[in-house]
Amino acid sequence: MGVLGSVCVMAAGMSPLLAQNTLSSDTANGIDAAAADVLKTTGVPSASVAVVQGGKVAYVKAYGMARLQPPMPAEVGMQYSIGSISKQFTAALVLLLVQDGKVKLNDPVGKYLPELTRANEVTVRQVLSMTSGYQDFWPEDYLMTSMMKSTDPQGILDVWAKKPLDFEPGTDWQYSNTNFVIAGRIAEIVSGKPLIEQLQERIFRPLKMTGVFNSDASRLPANDPTGYYQHALGPLRPAPQEGTGWMFAAGELAMPASDLALWNISMMNRTLLAPASYDVMFTEVKLKNGKGSGYGLGLFLGTQDGHKTISHSGEVSGFVSQNVVFPEEKASVTVLTNEDASSAAGALERRISSLVVGASGEVAVAEKRALAIFTGLQDGKLDRSQLTEYCDAYFTQEAVDDFSSSLKPLGTPISFRQTAEEKRGGMTFRSFTANFPNKQVRVTVYEMPNGKLEQYLVIP
């Protein structure tokens, strides 16, 4: 698929600063090449990208087709539905209301919504951190026919927030859109204003996020992208639209990638909320047994390529998005796409992030080592001094021959990146993704404390 769109294309009301390209030409060219490759391999119609580097918007570009029939190229000012990335805005608003003294994070939700299941035992903090136990009303990756009819927040709560809890409050973590419907209603109850009005007044206008659209109230305008879906490997078709009310507080927002970049800058610079609010929003919530949840308030907290991250993905009918902030590097990557159930947004974000922030020293060393073994095996060669006794025994001549004959035809990887790392069984487990023009494989490694490898596997 051809690369379409330009950093020079500007929408009405868009700041000229957002049209400036301050990345190096190598990085910019790398992003363009990654976008062309991901769109080609995944078949997703379009992607809109915004990159922050050094605390400033450094690159904004759109690729592919916003609409297939009639053809309409993607442009940087277009609004894409961002799905569950919306949750962090709801969480931020609740924290602003905490600053106002209207809400406390340790308040029981029953103070505001007494009719909910065990409302006097579940706290506002547990709702915002997905540790409440309230059941998710939309875990599926497609739009059910029941959701094509309009509802309202109370209708959602009457069904899903009055069921028995899935677990005891605070004892587990489970993703649930229902939590944020509760949070949004609490924000409306204590302020006496509609949620979207509060978001505009307290977040979007102060940050000059001028392109935000409430896609829960109506379809995106005709000059914005169409969302698509497909049955199995069939043709792309316009995705059905959710009925109004279903995305309230949990996935209702649409905006250009550049608006999310402005929000990302406010998070890394901590300019909108009070310092204590950012501290609690960006702190991993612990379960009652002391185990970490990997989640703060409306945000995932983790690492990527050895860098700390604040992130969230999003999916609604016809759209998938990925937004990652690297707070220590003052960098972020936003990718918005217009096909649901697609891996394109995540894949492109990782490719761009590797170009913008690279890998930390330790991760880079691990990647270099794993790649060297991979390319050696492609040629039927293996340095057995790096292996434990068991791993050495695993690599029989038959195994080495199979690795070589199956991996050699793939050629040189386009990219080879670490995607996960954790401790297990006294060893360090690492997972890598190797991308080729028409193939992707996963490499998994277990490394002993002495540096020797207990495992090296390549998985389709």
Side-chain angles (χ1 to χ4, degrees):
M1 182 176 292
V3 178
L4 301 172
S6 167
V7 287
C8 296
V9 177
M10 294 175 58
M14 183 176 171
S15 168
L17 290 175
L18 300 186
Q20 294 179 0
N21 168 20
T22 58
L23 294 179
S24 69
S25 59
D26 285 347
T27 302
N29 291 337
I31 292 172
D32 293 347
D37 180 56
V38 169
L39 264 63
K40 179 181 178 181
T41 57
T42 64
V44 71
S46 74
S48 185
V49 169
V51 174
V52 171
Q53 192 175 58
K56 297 180 180 180
V57 179
Y59 202 67
V60 181
K61 195 160 184 178
Y63 307 86
M65 302 301 291
R67 296 194 175 201
L68 301 178
Q69 292 297 331
M72 184 171 74
E75 297 182 3
V76 295
M78 289 178 172
Q79 301 164 130
Y80 286 68
S81 291
I82 65 169
S84 290
I85 295 175
S86 304
K87 290 180 172 68
Q88 58 201 270
F89 295 102
T90 301
L93 177 61
V94 171
L95 288 169
L96 286 169
L97 294 169
V98 169
Q99 292 173 200
D100 295 342
K102 295 179 178 179
V103 183
K104 294 180 180 178
L105 290 176
N106 291 328
D107 281 346
V109 297
K111 181 176 179 180
Y112 314 99
L113 296 163
E115 74 278 10
L116 304 188
T117 298
R118 298 174 65 178
N120 291 326
E121 301 172 58
V122 178
T123 67
V124 174
R125 187 192 305 271
Q126 289 168 340
V127 162
L128 293 174
S129 62
M130 306 286 192
T131 59
S132 68
Y134 286 114
Q135 190 175 106
D136 189 7
F137 72 83
W138 193 7
E140 297 85 357
D141 289 319
Y142 70 100
L143 185 64
M144 295 82 72
T145 53
S146 61
M147 293 181 65
M148 296 179 192
K149 300 176 183 177
S150 295
T151 188
D152 58 34
Q154 193 59 49
I156 295 172
L157 300 184
D158 284 344
V159 177
W160 282 274
K162 294 183 180 179
K163 289 185 175 185
L165 299 181
D166 283 350
F167 52 84
E168 291 295 305
T171 65
D172 203 352
W173 184 92
Q174 184 172 281
Y175 194 86
S176 173
N177 290 286
T178 308
N179 285 313
F180 277 76
V181 178
I182 295 170
R185 281 296 297 130
I186 290 173
E188 291 188 331
I189 289 167
V190 302
S191 69
K193 292 183 178 181
L195 177 68
I196 192 68
E197 185 179 319
Q198 295 183 70
L199 291 172
Q200 287 284 3
E201 288 180 357
R202 306 201 66 174
I203 298 177
F204 304 144
R205 287 175 194 153
L207 295 179
K208 295 180 171 56
M209 296 170 64
T210 59
V212 179
F213 181 84
N214 180 13
S215 59
D216 191 40
S218 64
R219 280 183 176 273
L220 287 170
N223 58 346
D224 281 318
T226 292
Y228 292 91
Y229 80 122
Q230 61 184 153
H231 300 121
L233 303 180
L236 290 175
R237 302 181 186 277
Q241 175 76 13
E242 302 92 346
T244 57
W246 284 104
M247 296 187 290
F248 170 83
E252 79 276 34
L253 301 176
M255 63 186 71
S258 55
D259 271 15
L260 264 177
L262 295 176
W263 166 249
N264 292 342
I265 292 169
S266 76
M267 286 200 293
M268 60 184 71
N269 291 336
R270 298 187 170 213
T271 56
L272 187 71
L273 309 180
S277 295
Y278 282 115
D279 288 343
V280 71
M281 190 176 189
F282 300 159
T283 297
E284 180 185 40
V285 171
K286 304 286 187 180
L287 305 180
K288 288 186 176 180
N289 63 4
K291 183 180 178 181
S293 66
Y295 206 76
L297 303 187
L299 289 161
F300 287 97
L301 307 169
T303 60
Q304 183 171 312
D305 290 337
H307 303 284
K308 289 183 179 179
T309 57
I310 300 167
S311 68
H312 218 290
S313 59
E315 180 180 10
V316 292
S317 184
F319 294 88
V320 175
S321 55
Q322 187 73 36
N323 192 56
V324 178
V325 177
F326 301 91
E328 294 178 349
E329 289 75 20
K330 295 293 181 75
S332 73
V333 175
T334 301
V335 179
L336 311 179
T337 63
N338 62 329
E339 181 188 347
D340 63 23
S342 168
S343 62
L348 183 52
E349 176 274 310
R350 291 198 69 88
R351 295 272 294 273
I352 294 173
S353 293
S354 69
L355 293 167
V356 174
V357 298
S360 68
E362 183 178 342
V363 171
V365 169
E367 287 177 349
K368 184 177 180 180
R369 181 190 193 190
L371 175 59
I373 294 173
F374 188 96
T375 55
L377 285 167
Q378 286 182 305
D379 292 329
K381 300 175 182 177
L382 178 63
D383 178 4
R384 294 180 179 272
S385 68
Q386 299 189 59
L387 312 181
T388 66
E389 179 183 352
Y390 290 127
C391 192
D392 181 51
Y394 169 83
F395 277 104
T396 61
Q397 189 58 50
E398 177 186 80
V400 173
D401 290 345
D402 284 352
F403 271 72
S404 179
S405 63
S406 63
L407 300 181
K408 182 74 171 177
L410 297 177
T412 302
I414 297 171
S415 64
F416 192 99
R417 297 296 179 193
Q418 180 173 308
T419 55
E421 179 176 324
E422 62 183 39
K423 300 294 184 182
R424 185 175 177 186
M427 298 176 285
T428 299
F429 170 81
R430 293 188 177 94
S431 179
F432 305 86
T433 297
N435 287 291
F436 299 87
N438 297 303
K439 188 78 172 178
Q440 183 182 82
V441 297
R442 183 169 171 243
V443 176
T444 60
V445 169
Y446 275 104
E447 182 179 322
M448 299 291 285
N450 66 4
K452 287 186 177 287
L453 299 183
E454 179 82 340
Q455 172 178 303
Y456 189 97
L457 298 179
V458 177
I459 304 166

